[in-house]
Amino acid sequence: MNDLERALATHIRQRQADWVDLLRQLVGCDSGTYNKDEADRAGRLLAETVSTLGFAVERMPQAQFGDHLVARKPGRGDKRLLLLGHFDTVFPRGTVAQRPFAVDGDRATGPGVLDMKGGLTVLVAALSALREVGAPVWDDVALTAVFNSDEELGSPTSAALIAAEARQADSVCVAEPARPGGEYVLARKGTGLLKLAVHGRAAHSGSQPELGRSAIDELTRKIVLLHDISDRSVGTTVNVGVIRGGERPNIVAPYAECEFDLRAHTPEEAERALRRIEEIAAHQFVPDTRTELSGGMRFPPLPLQRRNQVLFGWVQEAGRKLGIELAYTTTGGSSDGNTAGQHAPVVDGMGPVGNGAHSDREFVLLATLIQRAQVLALFLAAWSQRADQLTALAE
Ligand SMILES: [Zn+2]
């Protein structure tokens, strides 16, 4: 480590109590995706925190969710880095009161502590260190952070904003949690959310069954075919997770619907599956029924790409300077990294290590909060001198 790197690592470690306190405050906001008031409270906390670092924060007002935030700090050069983090959680209102932030030994718990308030804390800690220590990257590079509030729904209102920012960026860092083994994330499956709605015709099932057109009969045949699209050998899955329909046992069902999830590693596989889904929707098993297909891809697939491996190589170098060997993996879960990665090199999973996301078993290993912030700070400090190599790779 050179003097600058040592100063960055030391600064982050010495302020450990502040970062745990920031995490406590963020988890203290009960910011489930639909809890706009509490999400806005988390947003204000983030806005205030990065404002004190010198970022200009713009609010993107939202009716249903917390307002998205775009924080910008200009740079002297033409290089641009984008940092991404969402502040919504999957938990319903009241979860924070039921199980508030707590620290037990080396673990912190509380709703969203890992996914991804820990990652937001890592971002802030790294940025703060770069500024306080006077790292050249702080003055040279234009830094933009997008904090969004609807990621857990597939970012319906923020994906366009993220894509627009990523198009301008030379690299993107996503502070989603590390995988349970500590791996960073370079590739993610794409996610589609779709629905089939089948309209049939009601009739008395005993006296006039011939007049009925069963929506349930039609839908269940289609569901079998939907599941058949799955091809585990290439990681493509279709999961019908919800079915609804029918009225009574003695009524031929006039309506039935299902909601399903599609995952695929590559754009080609996602395309194959979507075409097959359209065929299945269009095929009629029960005469006179009508099927509507709605929905589509929420996150495009992010396949493994050379440019992301190069970027991760620099993350690994930062890790080695800190005495840690870092690895990457691919995952079936999607994030805003899927969207950003269509437009710029991306490293995802830069947040802390823990486990149990989206459950009451969620925890963060506190030591990794500091460690990941150190890795991010060292990576960013060295990034600006190398960013041109990425441009060469893209050409
Ligand atoms: Zn997340």
Side-chain angles (χ1 to χ4, degrees):
M1 277 197 280
N2 60 32
D3 287 348
L4 173 67
E5 291 161 343
R6 206 167 294 117
L8 288 168
T10 306
H11 185 273
I12 291 167
R13 193 178 57 243
Q14 284 176 341
R15 289 194 60 191
Q16 170 156 6
D18 293 338
W19 307 134
V20 176
D21 191 55
L22 176 61
L23 180 57
R24 181 186 59 75
Q25 290 184 59
L26 284 169
V27 173
C29 302
D30 208 1
S31 58
T33 314
Y34 291 108
N35 305 345
K36 177 170 170 60
D37 55 331
E38 283 287 296
D40 279 334
R41 198 158 73 81
R44 278 195 300 276
L45 175 59
L46 279 169
E48 282 162 23
T49 307
V50 297
S51 294
T52 61
L53 297 178
F55 280 83
V57 182
E58 192 186 342
R59 297 174 78 89
M60 308 292 197
Q62 300 300 314
Q64 204 182 357
F65 314 122
D67 297 345
H68 307 313
L69 304 172
V70 181
R72 295 179 203 279
K73 184 209 65 65
R76 281 191 302 233
D78 60 353
K79 291 283 176 282
R80 291 163 170 270
L81 241 158
L82 176 62
L83 308 159
L84 295 180
H86 67 83
F87 54 89
D88 61 322
T89 74
V90 294
F91 299 103
R93 190 181 292 276
T95 308
V96 170
Q98 262 169 35
R99 44 183 191 90
F101 180 80
V103 172
D104 182 10
D106 59 350
R107 289 181 178 209
T109 52
V113 71
L114 177 67
D115 185 10
M116 62 175 284
K117 290 171 174 180
L120 295 168
T121 305
V122 162
L123 282 183
V124 171
L127 291 173
S128 165
L130 291 168
R131 181 189 132 106
E132 295 304 317
V133 166
V137 63
W138 185 263
D139 295 317
D140 293 345
V141 173
L143 297 170
T144 302
V146 173
F147 301 118
N148 58 332
S149 62
D150 61 350
E151 193 272 350
E152 297 293 2
L153 297 181
S155 303
T157 64
S158 59
L161 167 69
I162 286 165
E165 291 298 333
R167 263 182 228 116
Q168 316 246 327
D170 296 288
S171 294
V172 184
C173 297
V174 187
E176 287 283 355
R179 302 308 303 153
E183 298 92 348
Y184 286 69
V185 178
L186 291 197
R188 291 181 178 274
K189 286 185 186 178
T191 301
L193 286 177
L194 300 105
K195 179 174 162 178
L196 285 185
V198 180
H199 301 268
R201 190 198 299 153
H204 191 299
S205 64
S207 61
Q208 295 185 307
E210 69 283 0
L211 296 184
R213 300 290 182 266
S214 173
I216 287 181
D217 190 3
E218 176 74 12
L219 181 65
T220 50
R221 290 165 196 266
K222 286 182 156 142
I223 286 174
V224 172
L225 296 179
L226 288 176
H227 278 146
D228 285 347
I229 294 172
S230 297
D231 181 350
R232 295 281 159 95
S233 71
V234 290
T236 301
T237 57
V238 170
N239 177 60
V240 177
V242 180
I243 56 174
R244 298 183 199 91
E247 292 174 358
R248 285 171 180 246
N250 59 357
I251 300 176
V252 175
Y255 180 78
E257 62 179 33
C258 72
E259 293 176 30
F260 56 105
D261 164 298
L262 160 67
R263 307 273 168 154
H265 276 302
T266 64
E268 296 73 27
E269 264 299 290
E271 204 35 56
R272 174 189 75 83
L274 287 171
R275 274 199 307 273
R276 182 72 186 123
I277 288 166
E278 281 165 12
E279 280 171 20
I280 293 166
H283 186 87
Q284 193 185 56
F285 294 93
V286 178
D288 305 326
T289 56
R290 183 169 57 81
T291 299
E292 291 160 21
L293 169 66
S294 58
M297 294 306 286
R298 282 291 174 91
F299 289 113
L302 179 67
L304 196 57
Q305 287 168 282
R306 178 78 193 121
R307 63 184 189 182
N308 299 343
Q309 289 173 303
V310 169
L311 201 58
F312 179 71
W314 304 346
V315 173
Q316 268 182 318
E317 266 182 52
R320 282 188 199 115
K321 288 179 178 173
L322 294 157
I324 341 160
E325 196 53 45
L326 300 171
Y328 74 82
T329 188
T330 68
T331 174
S334 299
S335 85
D336 291 317
N338 289 64
T339 304
Q342 310 299 312
H343 308 287
V346 61
V347 173
D348 200 341
M350 300 198 88
V353 186
N355 210 337
H358 294 197
S359 81
D360 61 3
R361 301 177 307 282
E362 182 181 19
F363 69 88
V364 152
L365 292 171
L366 281 173
T368 69
L369 198 67
I370 300 310
Q371 198 181 73
R372 301 297 257 217
Q374 289 173 326
V375 171
L376 179 57
L378 264 61
F379 163 77
L380 292 175
W383 177 83
S384 45
Q385 295 101 53
R386 299 159 141 178
D388 286 329
Q389 297 175 33
L390 294 168
T391 324
L393 270 177
E395 282 157 3

